Amino acid sequence: MDWMTPLLSWYHENARDLPWRRTRDGYAVWISEIMLQQTRVAAVIPYYERFLGELPDVTALATVEDDRLHKLWEGLGYYSRARNLKKAAGEIVSRFGGSMPRRYDELLTLSGIGEYTAGAIASIAFGEAVPAVDGNVLRVYARLFGVARDIRDPAFKKEVRAFLLPLVPKDQPGVFNAALMELGATVCLPNGQPKCAECPVRSDCVAYRENRTAELPVLSAKKARRTERKTVFALTIEGQLVGFRRPDSGLLAGLWQLPETDGELTDVECAFWLGEHGIAPVGELRFYERKHIFTHIEWHMRVCAAEVSAKTLPEGWRLLDESHALPTAYRVCL
Ligand code: SF4
């Protein structure tokens, strides 16, 4: 394949110096790969460093308190990733004696590890010649070979993986996978914006040759997000926020939240709601609007903020401090 040699030389000269690229430790590579799902590189770096500083190995992760784990993840979003990390760490302790499994098929059996992540860890940390096909690789493939197929179609992903499998070089599988992903992340950019003039595989690229870079890759429409309206209470008692723990399953499971109710209450209804919960405002109630977007849901929130007093807080409510992980969806209300 003519495009592979220039791709690899380009990567050796142009790869970004990222903290997880300075290690071949399987645990560290795993953590970085999970954090990088749905999250920008620049946002991940400080989280990655803090996480590895506090939880340096599988055993530390398997035994960490949930609140501490959530705190280390606070602001990264998609908290199920963190819960799956801890679950998988427990599986590694019980089934692999606490040592990171090295093989693709073993990695695939762990919670939260799919084909992409298993491929990335096995190839980058342990030198197994398997592909790691993420969204960047799918986009590069579709353009390089001029394939007008929906890159969100799982069947297409399967085909790309099958195509790449025999091509992954045995002497540098991790570098090959990282190079393809890096090309997609820094040169073959999405939304019709590839920097073809800087691209090492330009002379082999069908989309470039046929002037089709704007129409490739083909993307099926995403499902529309559902909107939920709610009223959130940002209440403080002597400056300390009030909240309670969310249920152990569902959206933002096990994290902390501000009090809330469905629908958008009027000013008068908010005052009434506080009274019903045995809470007396100290000074004026303030009202404002906030929005938070999850993958499938949008929260449109009317926020009622106030310094309050209460003889007793409703059951389960607490004064929150820095040890309580409050997700961004609620932080935006402060
Ligand atoms: S030439 Fe352009 S479209 Fe083709 S792989 Fe390179 S950046 Fe992507």
Side-chain angles (χ1 to χ4, degrees):
M1 289 283 168
D2 289 347
W3 53 273
M4 287 174 56
T5 310
L7 173 70
L8 291 169
S9 336
W10 168 84
Y11 181 73
H12 283 298
E13 280 162 31
N14 293 282
R16 290 168 294 175
D17 177 28
L18 302 172
W20 44 88
R21 288 193 176 149
R22 294 177 212 138
T23 179
R24 303 281 297 269
D25 174 51
Y27 174 74
V29 172
W30 174 36
I31 302 301
S32 72
E33 288 298 340
I34 299 294
M35 284 188 170
L36 285 164
Q37 290 169 9
Q38 327 258 13
T39 311
R40 288 174 308 111
V41 164
V44 164
I45 292 173
Y47 282 93
Y48 169 82
E49 289 177 339
R50 198 159 58 110
F51 196 97
L52 284 190
E54 282 211 27
L55 305 174
D57 53 38
V58 170
T59 315
L61 173 56
T63 52
V64 66
E65 294 278 334
D66 286 351
D67 272 344
R68 189 66 214 134
L69 177 66
H70 289 150
K71 199 67 199 168
L72 287 168
W73 209 266
E74 187 180 64
L76 261 187
Y78 302 96
Y79 286 82
S80 56
R81 293 182 296 174
R83 282 191 294 278
N84 274 331
L85 275 176
K86 180 176 169 181
K87 195 169 169 203
E91 293 161 5
I92 295 171
V93 169
S94 61
R95 290 176 25 219
F96 298 96
S99 299
M100 201 66 202
R102 302 171 67 88
R103 290 201 334 256
Y104 173 82
D105 54 352
E106 291 171 337
L107 289 159
L108 211 47
T109 65
L110 299 172
S111 293
I113 296 192
E115 287 186 342
Y116 163 75
T117 311
I121 302 169
S123 63
I124 293 169
F126 302 117
E128 184 174 347
V130 284
V133 180
D134 71 349
N136 286 315
V137 175
L138 292 172
R139 182 172 60 257
V140 170
Y141 177 93
R143 285 177 173 157
L144 185 57
F145 299 107
V147 183
R149 292 264 309 277
D150 174 10
I151 63 167
R152 292 206 174 105
D153 179 358
F156 177 62
K157 190 173 183 177
K158 229 174 157 175
E159 283 173 34
V160 174
R161 191 173 182 282
F163 172 83
L164 290 174
L165 184 60
L167 298 184
V168 180
K170 293 202 171 22
D171 56 340
Q172 45 181 344
V175 170
F176 174 75
N177 286 332
L180 263 182
M181 290 190 263
E182 187 79 346
L183 188 72
T186 63
V187 176
C188 195
L189 301 174
N191 306 322
Q193 300 291 329
K195 300 177 184 169
C196 300
E198 300 169 23
C199 181
V201 300
R202 191 173 64 230
S203 55
D204 285 296
C205 178
V206 174
Y208 177 72
R209 193 163 59 237
E210 297 178 357
N211 207 11
R212 291 164 63 205
T213 58
E215 70 200 52
L216 293 173
V218 174
L219 279 169
S220 58
K222 273 191 181 166
K223 251 174 79 184
R225 279 192 288 265
R226 186 175 84 240
T227 299
E228 288 183 2
R229 296 180 193 282
K230 56 175 74 201
T231 304
V232 175
F233 293 87
L235 308 174
T236 51
I237 295 180
E238 295 179 3
Q240 221 176 334
L241 264 183
V242 176
F244 54 87
R245 194 192 280 282
R246 292 179 66 83
D248 283 336
S249 60
L251 188 67
L252 306 174
L255 297 163
W256 292 78
Q257 70 161 88
L258 303 180
E260 67 183 14
T261 187
D262 292 342
E264 291 184 4
L265 302 190
T266 62
D267 298 11
V268 173
E269 287 168 336
C270 283
F272 188 71
W273 189 93
L274 290 174
E276 275 186 327
H277 289 77
I279 291 164
V282 179
E284 278 195 8
L285 301 181
R286 289 173 292 117
F287 297 95
Y288 45 93
E289 309 292 323
R290 290 289 184 272
K291 188 159 108 174
H292 184 76
I293 299 177
F294 298 95
T295 314
H296 304 299
I297 310 172
E298 277 185 37
W299 280 1
H300 291 217
M301 299 173 278
R302 176 152 211 255
V303 183
C304 170
E307 168 72 14
V308 298
S309 68
K311 279 205 182 80
T312 47
L313 286 172
E315 200 188 329
W317 291 29
R318 300 261 184 291
L319 294 180
L320 304 185
D321 59 32
E322 275 310 301
S323 68
H324 300 97
L326 192 66
T328 307
Y330 291 103
R331 283 200 176 268
V332 297
C333 298
L334 304 180

